[in-house]
């Protein structure tokens, strides 16, 4: 009987071990006041957007959301108080963009413009009165959170995340512990 040992694993090809980046990963923060209003920032091009931004290497969506919220608005939240309610994906301009929809309902502080080169002002909006001029990833995140909102057309995939038990009751507009299938949010 001949016994063959598998031997050392072959080394990965450099192109496979270190592929060229081809995706942008971010988080859009849905900040909801106790009265139900949502925070949006007006950029210098007249579009409204959620606070948020890129996820740094090794960072969770929740940590990135809390960090970006503090950097952009001065609002503070613990990363464990950020609930990811969906992940959305689009492919605008040939680049896959993946964004988590992070939801928070309790923040410390008042929103302030901390990056005046990007945002003119922060303003609270009733969900039914969210302006039509929205940054596309923000529109996709808001639509993933609340499909009942009247928002501009976006072309993205939405992957809702089930929120279980008491968390579902704590968070506005989030479903319970039922599984939710992937859906294409393509209203363009």
């Amino acid at each position: 009987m001949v016994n063959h040992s598998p031997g050392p694993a072959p080394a990965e090809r450099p192109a496979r071990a270190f592929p060229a980046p081809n995706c942008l990963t971010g988080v859009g923060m849905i900040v909801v006041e106790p009265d139900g209003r949502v925070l949006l920032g007006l950029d210098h091009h007249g579009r409204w957007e959620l606070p948020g931004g890129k996820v740094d290497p090794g960072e969770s969506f929740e940590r990135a959301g809390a960090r970006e919220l503090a950097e952009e608005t001065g609002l503070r939240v613990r990363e464990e108080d950020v609930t990811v309610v969906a992940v959305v994906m689009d492919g605008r301009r040939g680049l896959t963009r993946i964004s988590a929809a992070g939801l928070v309902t309790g923040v410390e502080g008042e929103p302030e413009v901390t990056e005046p080169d990007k945002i003119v002002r922060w303003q609270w909006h009733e969900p039914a009165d969210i302006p039509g001029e929205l940054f596309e990833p923000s529109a996709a995140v808001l639509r993933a959170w609340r499909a009942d909102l009247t928002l501009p057309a976006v072309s993205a995939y939405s992957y809702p995340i089930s929120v279980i038990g008491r968390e579902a009751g704590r968070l506005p507009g989030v479903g319970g512990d039922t599984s939710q299938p992937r859906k294409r949010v393509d209203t363009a």
Side-chain angles (χ1 to χ4, degrees):
M1 172 188 259
V2 177
N3 189 3
H4 295 283
S5 66
E12 281 198 75
R13 298 183 321 267
R16 186 174 173 105
F18 302 101
N22 63 357
C23 178
L24 180 63
T25 306
V27 60
M29 292 296 291
I30 307 162
V31 183
V32 182
E33 277 195 318
D35 68 2
R37 295 183 302 163
V38 177
L39 184 65
L40 295 172
L42 180 65
D43 73 13
H44 290 278
H45 302 288
R47 291 182 310 180
W48 293 90
E49 61 184 66
L50 294 166
K54 294 181 186 113
V55 176
D56 288 339
E59 198 172 37
S60 68
F61 285 128
E62 295 87 353
R63 177 172 286 170
R67 176 185 51 76
E68 286 286 348
L69 187 62
E71 288 175 4
E72 292 186 2
T73 69
L75 296 173
R76 292 168 309 285
V77 64
R78 298 176 317 158
E79 69 181 271
E80 51 270 12
D81 292 331
V82 176
T83 301
V84 176
V85 297
V87 174
V88 296
M89 180 175 67
D90 69 62
R92 300 290 291 179
R93 299 186 189 114
L95 177 68
T96 300
R97 187 168 40 194
I98 298 171
S99 301
L103 179 66
V104 292
T105 57
V107 294
E108 295 178 26
E110 292 296 322
E112 58 185 86
V113 175
T114 59
E115 297 176 328
D117 56 314
K118 298 178 183 176
I119 297 294
V120 175
R121 71 175 185 271
W122 293 103
Q123 186 173 321
W124 296 100
H125 296 267
E126 293 291 336
D129 299 324
I130 290 176
E133 286 295 318
L134 277 174
F135 179 51
E136 281 193 26
S138 293
V141 163
L142 287 166
R143 189 177 301 280
W145 169 55
R146 297 249 325 250
D148 63 310
L149 297 177
T150 303
L151 298 169
V154 294
S155 181
Y157 288 98
S158 176
Y159 300 84
I161 297 172
S162 181
V163 180
I164 298 173
R166 63 187 174 98
E167 289 296 302
R170 180 178 73 82
L171 300 171
V174 176
D177 57 0
T178 59
S179 61
Q180 300 175 32
R182 170 182 61 94
K183 61 182 176 185
R184 180 149 174 98
V185 181
D186 191 356
T187 57

